[in-house]
Amino acid sequence: MLVVMKQDATQDDVRAVAEAIEDLGYKAQPMPGGHRTTVGLIGNDGRVEEGVLANLEGVLRIIHVSQPYKLVSREWRGESTEIALSNGVTIGGGDLVVMAGPCSVESRSQILESAHAVAGSGGAVLRGGAFKPRTSPYSFQGLGVEGLEYLAEAREATGLAIVTEAVDTDGVKLVAEYADIIQIGARNMQNYSLLREAGRSNKPVLLKRGMSATVKELLLAAEYILVEGQSRVMLCERGVRNFDNHARNLFDLTAIVTINELSHLPVVADPSHGTGATRKVPPMARAAVAAGADALIVEVHPDPAKAASDGQQSLTPRQFEELMGEIRPIAAALGKGVATPDRVPQGALSAP
Ligand code: PEP
Ligand code: MN
């Protein structure tokens, strides 16, 4: 429920509404706006009767949020959320943001080479897993802290922001020390203690859709993060399991449109995990931009055949450069540019 205050409502009126909400056993969240304050009611699992609230001094009207998720919904917040990164790039700010890099950080030279390629082709964010949630315990599990150190070095060298995954609650603080964006992977979308911990951190979160999760489940998972206080969350479509096996996953383009309708949070599209095959990545990346994704996240590896993970769906730097050339006019047709970091250090356009 949202209690919309009149333009001339006083601080005391807002306080009285918040107290009344708390007396009913819920949490109140005042949200000052340009013209008027709105007080949100959180913690209900069903319709709350307006009762006493509608008659309090300064109350203009009451809006019932019809969805089970609240803070993430467009009903709660009409304006799209913009997530500003320290390199001057904003996700959800109108321009398309491209995140790219290898599935895993494998070595210092591999991530630096990848970072220079991504920056040189106009990407804004470097991806790369230091902690890898692998289906098999015998597969490469990531370099851990060493990988985070290399990512930080790559950021210094190129001006790219860093997105990397935290796989457990202990990892959130560690990843937050190094990364600009904390990724929560598909396998952890419903790991509620991890979601809450990420919500308590001070870094934006990229939440990936679970392998068999509905859009509603994704939005409710994001709600766990927002309820803890972190509102800079982006939702990532990365394909879901389905009855057909023509591709690794079914890349759900409609979800991009649906999430945009239902939520104010930016949408990131991952055509790499969404398709599982290098040749299918560019067409689906182009389609995702056309469908209105705010950002792309694409796997790029200097030598995909030797990749420790997901080489079969990684682009070479050359293929990535071509893709960047293809998506620019698609973004432009939607009135969007492609965001570039405002700090591109010397040498970022050539290999180390
Ligand atoms: C990844 O980004 O490399 C990854 C493991 O993705 P997902 O969680 O979507 O499988
Ligand atoms: Mn991967």
Side-chain angles (χ1 to χ4, degrees), residues 103 127 132-133 165 183 185-187 208 238 273 299 310:
C103 180
R127 63 147 293 148
K132 294 303 300 177
E165 182 164 352
Q183 177 174 322
R187 289 157 190 79
K208 298 189 94 176
R238 48 79 71 203
H273 295 86
E299 288 186 336
D310 285 349

Side-chain angles (χ1 to χ4, degrees), residues 227-243:
V227 104
E228 293 297 330
Q230 180 51 268
S231 54
R232 294 171 301 162
V233 175
M234 54 212 100
L235 302 168
C236 180
E237 165 54 38
R238 48 79 71 203
V240 284
R241 289 264 162 85
N242 77 110
F243 58 85

Side-chain angles (χ1 to χ4, degrees), residues 154-172:
R155 172 176 44 212
E156 280 311 304
T158 59
L160 296 172
I162 301 295
V163 56
T164 193
E165 182 164 352
V167 292
D168 50 34
T169 49
D170 289 345
V172 169

Side-chain angles (χ1 to χ4, degrees), residues 86-97:
S86 59
N87 67 351
V89 163
T90 299
I91 299 163
D95 283 348
L96 178 75
V97 174

